Amino acid sequence: MFILCKRLFPALFLFLWFTVSHAQGGYELWLNYRKTENPETLEHYRTHLLSVVMDENSETVDAIREELSTGLGLMLDSTVSFISEIPEKNSLVIRKTENLPSGLRNTLKKDIATIENDGFLIRASGNTVIITARKDVGLLYGTFRLLHHLQQGLPLRNLRILDIPKTDIRVLNHWDNLDRTVERGYAGASIWKWHRLPGYIDPRYKDYARANASVGINGTVLTNVNASALVLTPAYIEKVAALAEVFRPYGIKVYLTARFSAPMEIGGLQTADPLDPGVRQWWRDKVDEIYKTIPDFGGFLVKANSEGQPGPQNYGRSHVDGANMMAEAMAPHGGIVMWRAFVYSEHDTTDRAKQAYNEFVPLDGKFMENVLVQVKNGAIDFQPREPFHPMFGAMPHTPLMMEFQMTQEYLGFSTHLVFLPKLYEEVLQSDTYRHGKGSLVARVVDGTLDNKKISGMAGVANIGSDINWTGHPFAQANWYGFGRLAWDPYLSASQIADEWLRLTFTNDNNFIKPVKNIMLESHETVVDYMTPLGLHHIMDTGHHYGPGPWVGNLSRPEWNPVYYHKADTAGIGFDRTPSGSNATAQYAGEVAATFNNVKTCPEKFLLWFHHLPWDYKLQSGNTLWDGLGIRYQEGVNRVREAQKTWAVMEPYVNKQQFEEVRMLLGIQHEEAQWWRDACMLYFQTFSKQPFPEEMETPLHSLEYYRSLKFPYAPGISPQWH
Ligand code: GCV
């Protein structure tokens, strides 16, 4: 016995250490199943949910059973029994609509008639709670939703949740390289351990799938859009297949990025011309080979003729030629092609903000049915704030996918607390006016504006090997929020913040209210201390961390911050009205008119669309110069307020997470000051005016800020080679 104890003790200790440190570190994400605190609620849940009727068989049903054993087991602090007969007394029934007993089917028939696709119904009826759906994956989504309901301590009485995803493709984009670096990744290394696959299945893969499925994400593009053709070789396809197997029960398909020149790099061909019969055959064979190994493979994501990536234009062909060639290979298997519209060229001297629209809109209606064009939320590049991309609504015959960024490339990496669903909401709720008032971007994305057959939303992942997955504990909320909005682009950021806080930390309103406030203000805060009043792309070169408004020596003009702010002694801002680049003409008339008129242009986009004198009067009555300084200061002030709020939150979160957020807010505060001082000192060289009295005196000189260098900033893999 003693010997056994001696042997077991270190193992037990290790296990406990691992479990505790993971729990403390936020590994569980929002699937943090805590025992239900309120004794009445606990009793109420126990009465209804401890017998679970589940008699269907599939990998997905097994995953549901496992999730319920863990989730209900922990929240109800009891063991769940799974049975196959519906008992007289209380139970939770999980069955597809076709397998419900006729009595129940009859009672629920109105709701059942409206369940489509991956949707589900949760209903409390008599002494049972029912989760039903057309497909197994719908049952899985319903199960997670019920678990989330319980995590929030909400009542079961009269429960009725009927929810159907509004988009078809809800997909993460990993910018993960095969060497496990992550382009614009700030949460450690890639979670894909390519060198160990397919033999070694890291437990994280399943937890990743659980987290995604719990918010309805149904696909993942495993590799960087700056793609390596190697991932299409047999050895890697086998590794991809191993991941696909882990994800399959959770309704998650795998996709890969396809390097356009792959037929030459790994196929030995002399060309990658999309009209060349040999090249077309190569792609058909390659796709057949992939489907042989991964029968439910999702398809390809392609970055072509963008930032040096190869593409059809290398052969004088168009995006349509390239995308349709791959789509043709995919079609017999039901696969899709997501073709990115993030293009701008060093040979095109027009405003960068106009180039994607100019290249793609004339191609509307020419893509095959299984092609989606994937468009970033704004026309430049994931800036802290951008007006919605003018392509949304401008291609009525082509499905357009939204591409949001969860990783915080231009947003303080995973050091700054920024709740991105606020940004997503602002974009999705923007009105394109393409079919009159109410033509929201959300309606373009869900396909209802022009009756699209397929729709989708992509999110550039912020996930890495850090214990808490996302680096900043609050960056998990961006992953959660992306998933929720991909499922339903009309959800409010406020609801999402509320849910995420409750699932992740506690239901105590003394915590929820103030911390939710920090989250909801955080986007405006970061905009204020980085790029207020419509400024954009003034980050330092390459790593995009910290301010670099002075940078003007890069080889391509549109890579330089000076190209975007155009500060001079007369004023500041990019004139995109008809007197300037006329980018506003790419929007519907109503929108263009609003942006063109400096009096109606929302001040948040003022310097995006207008070059204005330093003494221009803002709505507040302040001059533009003073208003700019006041905004920068307000951003700093709000980080200070967030610090104060967080300082009294220790009782509600675990020690480790409390400390992590406290320290990160400290850095964010210092860096908000850095942004304010560096930008205002630099712009002062043009405005030649004193700082407004509301603004604190800069802590250092402009020379000091200009001298700062960050050669090893994370996220830019080429520098490490
Ligand atoms: C993956 C920006 C980023 C690049 C990124 C690119 C893209 O330019 O800085 O790192 O490349 O966008 O979205 O393709």
Side-chain angles (χ1 to χ4, degrees), residues 175 183-184 224-226 303 306-307 340 342 344 352 376 381-382 403 409-410 544:
W175 285 357
E183 184 155 351
R184 311 304 175 185
N224 191 354
V225 288
N226 290 330
K303 171 174 177 178
S306 161
E307 299 185 330
R340 293 177 88 227
F342 178 67
Y344 59 100
R352 171 174 167 184
K376 287 189 182 182
D381 190 7
F382 296 139
E403 181 178 313
E409 175 181 355
Y410 297 92
H544 298 152

Side-chain angles (χ1 to χ4, degrees), residues 379-435:
I380 298 293
D381 190 7
F382 296 139
Q383 294 306 294
R385 168 169 275 143
E386 297 191 43
F388 71 90
H389 201 304
M391 282 177 68
F392 289 109
M395 295 183 71
H397 307 293
T398 310
L400 294 195
M401 273 177 86
M402 170 64 75
E403 181 178 313
F404 281 131
Q405 197 180 50
M406 282 169 268
T407 196
Q408 293 171 230
E409 175 181 355
Y410 297 92
L411 281 146
F413 296 5
S414 50
T415 307
H416 293 204
L417 190 163
V418 189
F419 179 57
L420 289 172
K422 268 303 253 189
L423 181 162
Y424 308 156
E425 176 187 56
E426 179 173 295
V427 175
L428 291 164
Q429 289 301 317
S430 301
D431 199 337
T432 70
Y433 276 88
R434 287 293 174 187
H435 293 311

Side-chain angles (χ1 to χ4, degrees), residues 195-210:
H195 60 301
R196 285 183 167 186
L197 283 164
Y200 180 85
I201 302 298
D202 193 303
R204 260 192 188 233
Y205 302 153
K206 185 160 133 187
D207 290 330
Y208 167 86
R210 290 174 54 229

Side-chain angles (χ1 to χ4, degrees), residues 322-332 335-337 368 370-371:
N324 285 356
M325 169 189 64
M326 291 188 185
E328 202 178 274
M330 287 286 167
I336 60 161
V337 173
M368 279 180 63
N370 56 339
V371 176

Side-chain angles (χ1 to χ4, degrees), residues 646-657:
W646 187 257
V648 293
M649 291 300 135
E650 194 164 5
Y652 308 102
V653 294
N654 72 51
K655 180 92 188 130
Q656 186 174 333
Q657 285 173 323

